[in-house]
């Protein structure tokens, strides 16, 4: 028997806390190797948000390699707790909601696991809607029809089709998920390499492409103040040869139809409020952009790095909590460590680089892109610029594969286990997955796409305390030793005197979340909120260790 794995020898099948789906995975059923785990991370990491990550940083003035270094470092950082938290999954073969019973109590764990599950349901709905739009785009490319801008029956049909595709893999179980991730991973890697090659070939050189990133750092219109006067500064993109891509500008907010010859010199304006500008070159028009006021003193760049590092670490904050849901199928600790380190940081850096490289190539290859604000960072926007239906169909098929592999691994497994844990005897993994799918519809992602994404990212950043408590309990308090059978007993040691709640965990959790949030309301403590994931993780980790030492 593998010494890494602890088997369940006591019969606890009659316990209300036990079900076949939540039971430890026996060593002879551990079929996931390091390559399966790496593949599942490739499948999860290749998604539109990953593609867009670098754009957020570059738009604030960071250059492409600074953005890439931050993404790489953040994902190396988050892989460490991912591996630490995945250890218990391999050793005991149980999912996160069961492992969490040791730290939070048999009932207290619902607070952490259901919160994690509901966040995943939100992302499930958003990703399913995106996948449905890809199906809708394929239909339009095949029929030659023009897609509608607003909501339409066709979009809902696409959503329904993609929803049922997701449900198929849920109903078929975890082995089908392993199959999906294993076969989609190489396809997704090839897709990334094809995009890089296309960009390189079109621009005729790697350095030519990457040199364009400087252009993406500057927005089209900014306002500066000097000697109590306001000045409008304009910036348009240049072609590969260095020629300006726009020849004229119009200050739309003046309600003027007069187009002026483009100038790079500051333009004196009467006010800094609501200045909107548009650019053109012959018949090609840019979008209308609102000029933002900028300060001469932009603050410490090191602080900017730390803020972005926190945001990037928070990207996989939810998965780091529930990673045992996946590592419980790994054969050895070496497999889960190697698989995660191979799959996560490298894929995140590769696909963030793909986003940078392809967008840099697009701004010199498409004549209609006149300003950095119109750069097609979103792959959907990029695909829309191609007129060849074959290219559109192939690209959208790749989009569907990427979205499906991310959705199933990142947004289905965790909530399925969380809902199953609420009522193990009545809710199976498949039923939990179906609940996830239904909630994904009920949140109406077609209306809440933008609003819910910001909310989900906000909540994800506050889950640092949950991970801090889990790691502190497993490594510091229990020294990696759990009593497996006790995890399934209503009146066992993890029921905490039959209350079901570990008061220490509840205290550490609420104080950690409070510390991470307080800076939102108290300006002097804003740094705690800006670094919310690290703040919550560290405070809850330390507090839990101290309080549990006194409680034991």
């Amino acid at each position: 028997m593998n010494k890494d794995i602890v088997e369940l020898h006591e019969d606890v099948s009659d316990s209300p806390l036990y079900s076949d789906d939540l039971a430890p995975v026996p060593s002879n059923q551990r079929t996931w190797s390091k390559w399966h785990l790496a593949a599942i991370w490739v499948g999860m990491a290749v998604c539109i948000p990953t593609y867009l990550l670098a754009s957020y940083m570059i738009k604030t003035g960071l250059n492409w390699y600074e953005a890439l270094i931050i993404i790489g470092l953040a994902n190396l950082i988050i892989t460490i707790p991912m591996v630490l938290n995945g250890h218990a999954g391999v050793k005991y073969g149980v999912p996160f909601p069961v492992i969490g019973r040791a730290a939070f109590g048999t009932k207290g764990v619902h607070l952490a696991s259901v919160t994690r599950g509901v966040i995943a349901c939100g992302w499930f709905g958003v990703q399913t809607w995106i996948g449905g739009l890809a199906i809708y785009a394929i239909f339009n490319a095949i029929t030659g029809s023009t897609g509608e801008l607003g909501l339409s029956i066709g979009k809902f049909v696409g959503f329904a089709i993609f929803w049922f595709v997701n449900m198929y893999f849920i109903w078929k179980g975890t082995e089908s998920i392993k199959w999906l991730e294993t076969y989609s991973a190489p396809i997704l890697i090839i897709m990334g390499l094809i995009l890089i090659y296309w960009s390189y070939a079109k621009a005729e050189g790697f350095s030519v492409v990457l040199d364009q990133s400087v252009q993406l750092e500057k927005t089209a219109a900014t306002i500066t103040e000097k000697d109590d006067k306001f000045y409008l500064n304009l910036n348009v993109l240049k072609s590969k040869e260095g020629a300006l891509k726009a020849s004229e500008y119009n200050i739309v907010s003046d309600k003027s139809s007069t187009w002026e010859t483009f100038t790079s010199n500051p333009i004196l304006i009467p006010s800094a409020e609501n200045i909107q500008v548009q650019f053109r070159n012959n018949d090609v028009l840019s979008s209308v952009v609102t000029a933002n006021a900028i300060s001469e003193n932009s603050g410490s760049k090191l602080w900017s790095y730390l803020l972005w590092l926190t945001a990037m670490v928070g990207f996989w904050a939810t998965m780091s909590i529930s990673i045992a849901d996946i590592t419980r199928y790994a054969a050895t600790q070496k497999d889960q460590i190697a698989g995660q380190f191979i799959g996560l940081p490298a894929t995140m850096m590769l696909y963030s680089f793909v986003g940078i490289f392809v967008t840099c190539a697009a701004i010199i290859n498409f004549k209609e892109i006149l300003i950095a604000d119109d750069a097609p960072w979103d792959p959907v926007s990029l695909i829309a610029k191609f007129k060849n239906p074959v290219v559109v169909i192939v690209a959208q098929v790749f989009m569907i594969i990427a979205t499906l592999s991310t959705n199933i691994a990142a947004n289905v497994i965790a909530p399925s286990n969380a809902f199953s844990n609420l009522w193990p005897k009545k809710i199976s993994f498949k039923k939990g997955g179906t609940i996830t799918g239904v909630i994904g519809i009920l949140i109406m992602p077609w209306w809440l796409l933008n609003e819910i994404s910001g909310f989900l990212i906000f909540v994800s950043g506050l889950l640092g305390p949950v991970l801090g408590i889990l790691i502190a309990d497993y490594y510091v308090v229990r020294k990696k030793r759990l009593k497996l059978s006790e995890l399934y007993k209503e009146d066992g040691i993890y029921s905490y005197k039959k209350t079901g709640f570990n008061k220490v965990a509840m205290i550490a959790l609420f104080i950690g979340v409070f510390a991470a949030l307080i800076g939102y309301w108290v300006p002097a403590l804003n740094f705690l909120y800006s670094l919310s994931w690290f703040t919550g993780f560290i405070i809850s980790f330390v507090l839990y260790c101290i309080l549990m030492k006194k409680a034991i």
Side-chain angles (χ1 to χ4, degrees), residues 120-140 150-168 170-171 400 403-404 407-408 411 433-449 452:
C121 289
W123 283 121
F124 176 86
V126 169
Q127 293 276 2
T128 305
W129 179 251
I130 291 171
L133 292 180
I135 292 174
Y136 178 64
I138 290 173
F139 172 78
N140 289 329
L151 295 177
S152 67
I153 294 174
K155 289 181 180 180
F156 281 106
V157 170
F159 175 72
I161 292 170
F162 195 62
W163 188 90
F164 277 109
V165 171
N166 281 268
M167 288 297 107
Y168 169 82
I170 294 170
W171 294 330
I400 289 169
T403 305
L404 179 64
N407 221 18
I408 293 295
N411 303 323
T434 304
I435 293 170
T436 302
V438 171
I439 294 176
I441 296 172
L442 294 178
I443 64 162
M444 295 181 289
W446 46 90
W447 281 337
L448 301 176
L449 185 62
I452 200 168

Side-chain angles (χ1 to χ4, degrees), residues 137-138 141-142 383 386-398:
I138 290 173
I142 292 172
I383 293 168
F386 289 95
K387 307 305 178 187
N388 188 325
V390 175
V391 172
V392 173
I393 291 168
V394 171
Q396 294 291 4
V397 168
F398 278 135

Side-chain angles (χ1 to χ4, degrees), residues 96-276:
F96 154 59
V98 176
I99 293 170
R101 293 171 185 173
F104 291 93
T106 52
K107 294 178 181 176
V109 72
H110 297 317
L111 184 61
S113 65
V114 173
T115 300
R116 161 70 181 103
V118 169
I119 291 171
C121 289
W123 283 121
F124 176 86
V126 169
Q127 293 276 2
T128 305
W129 179 251
I130 291 171
L133 292 180
I135 292 174
Y136 178 64
I138 290 173
F139 172 78
N140 289 329
I142 292 172
T143 60
S145 54
T146 303
E148 296 181 44
L149 293 176
L151 295 177
S152 67
I153 294 174
K155 289 181 180 180
F156 281 106
V157 170
F159 175 72
I161 292 170
F162 195 62
W163 188 90
F164 277 109
V165 171
N166 281 268
M167 288 297 107
Y168 169 82
F169 286 99
I170 294 170
W171 294 330
K172 291 291 286 184
T174 52
E175 279 301 302
S176 71
I177 295 172
K178 183 185 77 170
W179 177 90
L180 168 68
E181 302 298 335
T182 300
Y183 285 97
S184 64
I187 294 172
L188 297 173
I189 292 171
I190 291 168
M191 178 178 73
L193 296 176
I194 289 172
L195 285 169
I196 290 175
Y197 178 76
W198 171 83
S199 304
Y200 161 79
K202 281 285 185 180
E204 300 173 351
F206 272 95
S207 60
V208 174
V209 176
L210 292 174
D211 286 346
Q212 310 310 315
S213 67
V214 176
Q215 298 198 66
L216 293 173
E217 297 169 26
K218 301 172 184 176
T219 55
T222 57
I223 297 171
T224 53
E225 184 180 357
K226 188 177 182 180
D227 300 328
D228 295 326
K229 293 181 179 178
F230 297 103
Y231 295 90
L232 175 66
N233 307 279
L234 304 178
N235 182 62
V236 300
L237 296 173
K238 295 179 180 179
S239 67
K240 187 169 56 175
E241 293 74 27
L244 294 173
K245 296 186 74 174
S247 56
E248 297 176 297
Y249 74 93
N250 178 26
I251 301 177
V252 181
S253 47
D254 283 349
K255 296 181 179 176
S256 167
S257 58
T258 305
W259 287 88
E260 304 285 346
T261 302
F262 176 83
T263 176
S264 57
N265 297 321
I267 302 162
L268 182 65
I269 52 175
S271 163
E273 294 182 6
N274 196 31
I275 299 296
Q276 294 180 311

Side-chain angles (χ1 to χ4, degrees), residues 315-377:
F315 188 80
W316 287 118
T318 50
M319 275 305 301
S320 62
I321 292 170
S322 59
I323 190 63
D325 291 348
I326 293 170
T327 60
R328 65 192 292 227
Y329 299 103
T332 66
Q333 294 294 351
K334 286 183 179 179
D335 281 331
Q336 76 103 358
I337 294 170
Q340 295 206 74
F341 272 105
I342 292 169
L344 177 54
T347 308
M348 291 296 291
M349 287 189 74
L350 171 64
Y351 261 84
S352 295
F353 178 75
V354 169
I356 296 167
F357 199 75
V358 172
T359 307
C360 287
I363 65 174
I364 55 177
N365 287 327
F366 292 106
K367 293 180 180 179
E368 65 269 26
I369 305 172
L370 306 180
I371 56 177
D373 303 63
D374 289 345
W377 280 106

